[in-house]
Amino acid sequence: MGVYIIKRLALIIPTLFGIMVINFLIVQTAPGGPVEQIVAQLSGEDTNATARITGGAGGDMGSAAGTSDSGSYEGTRGIDPDLIKDLEKQFGFDKPLHERFFKMMWDYVHLDFGESYYQDRSVASLVVERMPVSISLGFWTLMITYLISIPLGISKAVRDGAPFDIWTSGAIFVAYAIPAFLFAILLIVLFAGGNYWDFFPLRGLTSDYFDQLSAWEKVKDYSWHITLPILAMTIHGFATLTLLTKNLFLEEINKQFVLTARAKGASERRVLYGHVFRNAMLIVVAQLPGALVNVLFTGALLIEIIFSLNGLGLLGFEAAINRDYPVLFGTLFFYTLVGLVMHLIGDLTYVLVDPRIDFETREV
């Protein structure tokens, strides 16, 4: 197993480098970079472009990545060419494409992710600030989803075709059909000051006076704020995981080794949890690291927007919309690295669930 881990760790570096190269090149073809936004603002073509571009772009941005090549901007008529050159130098776009990329990667190796164009803060500080929100959403969503879905899926498999299975299947299909963002809006309408009750807050993970509360009051305040977002995020994953668990258990229950164990007089509990559980849970448990990455970085985006939660998903989305390249590429680097490591952890989880699996005997 040690050799396999070393091989996988060695593959992380070229894989990460390749992903960064591809995304870097794609961004070069996308119009609307920082310089182009300022040019559009100065020429009056983009009245919605705010002063944050000029206000937050101060200082040396030479470590930033990506925009079109110099001198190819539209709408520059009437604008001093020297101003364009100054803007390119300010953002670091006066350097060749390959030089910008390798400088960016070299800075990343030294854990220097640059500063945001618009927020006048380092990318690292922005990620650290947003991390608690994403971790809270991801951890509780997965915890609740797994704690409910696995026992429910097992119960449905054992009672396949019974009234319990039929009624719960109906509820699960309804939950599966409702998008998370739509369910979030429904929760707001019902319980957060919409047309009915006003039980839960609509903004943030904690109240403004959180630091003044006692330890128990902080727990209650945190739980009060996070209830609706977690319910909204859990509904779809809960339905999917429950059906997956049921189908995996049904597949294992009908196999020959289960019939043999029953014929030898093993109790139903022994058959279910001693023989079936390990095989059936292999895929479910091994998916946990990947599911965590998905929830942390992408799955919570709409929920963060609806409930005004400043998490990592919203940070990356805002960076893409605003062409905030230091934040965009810094978070992409972080997401990709974490995703590759989690994929390796997922493989190791297979071995923990079923020690009979040996990755040494296969090619990486």
Side-chain angles (χ1 to χ4, degrees):
M1 194 64 187
V3 175
Y4 174 77
I5 295 176
I6 293 175
K7 289 181 179 179
R8 287 295 302 273
L9 290 175
L11 280 175
I12 286 179
I13 297 177
T15 303
L16 178 61
F17 185 83
I19 292 174
M20 294 300 298
V21 168
I22 293 173
N23 284 273
F24 188 90
L25 293 176
I26 291 175
V27 168
Q28 307 312 300
T29 63
V35 176
E36 290 148 304
Q37 292 187 35
I38 295 177
V39 168
Q41 183 184 11
L42 293 175
S43 62
E45 295 179 2
D46 185 5
T47 57
N48 292 325
T50 64
R52 68 174 185 271
I53 298 173
T54 55
D60 182 12
M61 296 296 178
S63 63
T67 188
S68 303
D69 291 337
S70 302
S72 60
Y73 310 108
E74 297 181 358
T76 58
R77 181 177 300 178
I79 298 178
D80 188 353
D82 291 336
L83 175 59
I84 302 298
K85 292 181 180 180
D86 290 340
L87 290 173
E88 290 175 342
K89 184 176 181 180
Q90 184 178 10
F91 286 102
F93 301 151
D94 57 329
K95 299 179 177 64
L97 181 65
H98 67 280
E99 186 176 334
R100 295 201 303 268
F101 175 76
F102 284 109
K103 184 181 188 307
M104 179 186 75
M105 294 304 295
W106 181 252
D107 289 339
Y108 287 178
V109 171
H110 293 84
L111 301 180
D112 179 8
F113 297 98
E115 292 190 1
S116 168
Y117 288 159
Y118 309 132
Q119 302 187 50
D120 196 24
R121 294 179 56 190
S122 68
V123 175
S125 66
L126 288 172
V127 171
V128 171
E129 180 184 282
R130 304 289 187 98
M131 186 71 76
V133 174
S134 294
I135 290 178
S136 294
L137 294 176
F139 175 79
W140 291 114
T141 297
L142 289 181
M143 179 70 70
I144 295 174
T145 299
Y146 272 72
L147 288 177
I148 295 177
S149 298
I150 292 179
L152 180 58
I154 295 174
S155 299
K156 286 175 62 62
V158 173
R159 298 172 176 84
D160 184 41
F164 173 82
D165 179 43
I166 296 174
W167 285 104
T168 53
S169 293
I172 288 172
F173 286 133
V174 171
Y176 185 80
I178 301 177
F181 75 91
L182 188 60
F183 187 60
I185 295 174
L186 176 63
L187 291 175
I188 290 175
V189 172
L190 292 177
F191 304 112
N195 296 328
Y196 296 92
W197 301 281
D198 188 8
F199 293 153
F200 298 96
L202 280 175
R203 192 176 190 86
L205 285 184
T206 57
S207 300
D208 295 336
Y209 49 87
F210 183 78
D211 293 336
Q212 304 174 11
L213 301 176
S214 64
W216 174 241
E217 289 174 334
K218 287 182 178 179
V219 172
K220 292 193 298 182
D221 184 76
Y222 171 78
S223 303
W224 179 51
H225 280 77
I226 205 171
T227 297
L228 294 188
I230 293 302
L231 286 176
M233 291 183 62
T234 301
I235 183 170
H236 192 272
F238 148 77
T240 303
L241 185 59
T242 300
L243 292 177
L244 176 62
T245 303
K246 176 191 174 182
N247 292 334
L248 291 173
F249 264 80
L250 283 177
E251 181 180 354
E252 293 297 323
I253 286 174
N254 294 324
K255 287 185 176 180
Q256 185 63 43
F257 75 92
V258 176
L259 299 178
T260 302
R262 286 173 174 166
K264 291 182 178 181
S267 65
E268 192 65 24
R269 183 178 183 83
R270 173 64 179 170
V271 170
L272 191 61
Y273 293 100
H275 298 278
V276 175
F277 186 83
R278 175 178 292 178
N279 292 338
M281 286 293 98
L282 185 61
I283 297 178
V284 173
V285 175
Q287 284 182 340
L288 182 58
L292 179 60
V293 173
N294 180 66
V295 171
L296 284 178
F297 302 140
T298 58
L301 173 58
L302 291 177
I303 302 301
E304 290 176 7
I305 294 175
I306 293 172
F307 289 99
S308 300
L309 300 172
N310 292 321
L312 292 175
L314 185 57
L315 177 65
F317 175 75
E318 291 174 342
I321 295 297
N322 297 326
R323 302 296 195 272
D324 194 346
Y325 293 134
V327 177
L328 179 62
F329 285 100
T331 52
L332 174 64
F333 181 87
F334 176 70
Y335 297 168
T336 305
L337 180 60
V338 173
L340 292 172
V341 172
M342 284 296 185
H343 189 67
L344 173 59
I345 294 176
D347 285 349
L348 300 180
T349 307
Y350 278 103
V351 179
L352 293 177
V353 177
D354 190 349
R356 295 172 297 176
I357 297 177
D358 183 12
F359 287 107
E360 301 284 4
T361 59
R362 73 169 195 175
E363 295 293 332
V364 177

